[in-house]
Amino acid sequence: MKYRLLGHTGVWVSEISLGTMTFGGKEHPVFRTMGALGQEEVDRVVGTALDAGINFFDTADVYADGESEELLGRAIGRRRRDVVLATKLLAPVGPGPNDQGLSRLHVMRALDDSLRRLKTDYIDLYQLHNYDHVTPIEETLSALDDAVRQGKVRYIGCSNFAAWQISKALGVSALHNQAKFAANQTLYSLVSRDAERDLVPMAEDAGLSLTVWQPLAGGFLTGKFDRGGATTEQDSRRARNGFDFVPFDEEKGFRVLDVLRTVAARHEVSPAQVAIAWLLAQRAVTSVIVGARKLEQLTDNIAAGDLALTEQDLAELDEASRPPIAYPNWIQEQFAPVRIPAGNLA
């Protein structure tokens, strides 16, 4: 396993991390389709990940109504010091009007609940799961700064924020000398490359780590799906749901899949490994979050860290998946100043 720095924190995290959306939720109307793994199965998955060198684990209080955190906390047990533990908050976790959002009231309550479920005294990376348009970001960041000063949280981050929202938050934190975002978790894959427009350049400029969710587009990039909806594995999440909530151009997706299968055959590996290896080769990516219902899925995904794609592989995949350049990016590229080396000035 290889490790990369989590932003400017000095903390090393595995370039492949374990997501826990498949943990728990057997009776949940939504999460039962994600995996619904019980404690015994979770113990095996977490143990396999730890033995492979994965030290970065990601969960959220909303996953299976908190059951994912409970199962993960028990599975980690005495190996807590070996783990960089990340969880998230914002989504509704109860019926009350204040059981959601990013108010100081909910931040403090949600943090204590997550600590209890995870059976730990601190969260290594506490992340805002989405942007709250009702609560001023100043209130949220003040609450998070207090949690850091209290020792309940080591670092803070966000997920599903726009680049301008992250930049604003970083500015507010700097203005008040508060703990600032160290990490951003974002959607990114060969069929979802929107992050390249603003989030990737922003992360590079701000020194923010970038972790990736949905690297396989809900199983689409495993190569188990064909045009017309046929699948070679009815047990995949996409097949069980009949859809995936992440939108993408499916026809273009199948063209990407054709190239993905070609590259995979060239290396004699699975398409999933190629999709993950492609992400690991992209600018600013710190860690790719993988989730699994079966151990063979996890071990296959972990093997992507050993796959070195060639320039030809990367060029073919980029050509098939490249999105159109958005404004103002294209005009800035077109009219970028030509820099003349100092020694060549007349």
Side-chain angles (χ1 to χ4, degrees), residues 34-337:
M34 303 293 180
L37 301 184
Q39 190 66 64
E40 186 175 335
E41 297 164 304
V42 167
D43 289 346
R44 284 197 294 268
V45 169
V46 170
T48 299
L50 287 167
D51 291 345
I54 289 178
N55 75 338
F56 196 15
F57 290 76
D58 180 80
T59 187
D61 60 5
V62 73
Y63 294 168
D65 289 340
E67 189 181 0
S68 172
E69 288 186 327
E70 293 177 350
L71 294 168
L72 177 61
R74 285 195 289 265
I76 292 173
R78 295 181 179 179
R79 300 189 69 175
R80 176 66 182 91
R81 289 176 63 89
D82 300 331
V83 168
V84 177
L85 183 58
T87 191
K88 302 183 286 291
L89 80 152
L90 174 128
V93 291
N98 293 311
D99 290 332
Q100 61 183 312
L102 298 178
S103 66
R104 171 178 287 273
L105 175 66
H106 184 62
V107 168
M108 294 304 190
R109 181 184 295 168
L111 174 57
D112 285 341
D113 288 344
S114 286
L115 289 170
R116 171 179 50 79
R117 286 191 292 262
L118 287 162
K119 294 179 173 57
T120 185
D121 296 327
Y122 64 95
I123 304 296
D124 294 297
L125 177 62
Y126 201 37
Q127 303 162 109
L128 310 181
H129 211 161
N130 209 324
Y131 192 76
D132 183 348
H133 292 275
V134 176
T135 305
I137 193 65
E138 290 82 358
E139 165 147 342
T140 304
L141 292 171
S142 176
L144 292 174
D145 184 65
D146 285 347
V148 171
R149 294 177 188 275
Q150 292 165 4
K152 294 181 177 181
V153 171
R154 299 293 189 253
Y155 305 101
I156 62 173
C158 61
S159 179
N160 303 313
F161 275 44
W164 72 264
Q165 293 165 341
I166 299 174
S167 294
K168 178 180 178 179
L170 291 173
V172 170
S173 296
L175 180 64
H176 298 289
N177 194 30
Q178 295 172 334
K180 64 179 181 178
F181 291 155
N184 175 36
Q185 186 179 126
T186 187
L187 171 68
Y188 197 7
S189 76
L190 277 164
V191 294
S192 299
R193 294 179 59 177
D194 292 343
E196 295 174 356
R197 294 178 175 175
D198 294 301
L199 288 167
V200 168
M202 182 277 304
E204 291 180 309
D205 180 70
L208 215 61
S209 75
L210 194 152
T211 57
V212 175
W213 62 272
Q214 281 279 14
L216 300 178
F220 182 83
L221 294 174
T222 62
K224 296 169 183 174
F225 292 86
D226 293 316
R227 291 172 174 83
T231 175
T232 59
E233 184 170 327
Q234 293 300 322
D235 197 33
S236 71
R237 186 195 310 170
R238 195 176 180 90
R240 293 194 307 276
N241 290 350
F243 70 96
D244 193 73
F245 82 98
V246 175
F248 60 88
D249 183 339
E250 196 164 274
E251 181 50 43
K252 182 177 181 181
F254 280 115
R255 294 197 295 271
V256 172
L257 204 51
D258 290 338
V259 177
L260 193 65
R261 286 169 171 149
T262 298
V263 174
R266 187 181 298 153
H267 291 271
E268 298 182 335
V269 298
S270 70
Q273 286 187 38
V274 175
I276 294 170
W278 178 84
L279 280 166
L280 291 173
Q282 301 310 301
R283 296 161 45 201
V285 170
T286 303
S287 187
V288 176
I289 302 170
V290 302
R293 298 181 71 250
K294 301 176 181 178
L295 287 181
E296 54 265 35
Q297 293 172 332
L298 178 60
T299 54
D300 181 76
N301 290 174
I302 291 172
D306 297 322
L307 175 59
L309 297 177
T310 66
E311 290 187 10
Q312 178 186 352
D313 298 331
L314 293 170
E316 291 176 359
L317 291 165
D318 180 65
E319 178 64 27
S321 64
R322 185 188 307 123
I325 300 178
Y327 173 84
N329 302 46
W330 62 263
I331 200 167
Q332 290 185 4
E333 287 188 13
Q334 185 174 344
F335 292 98

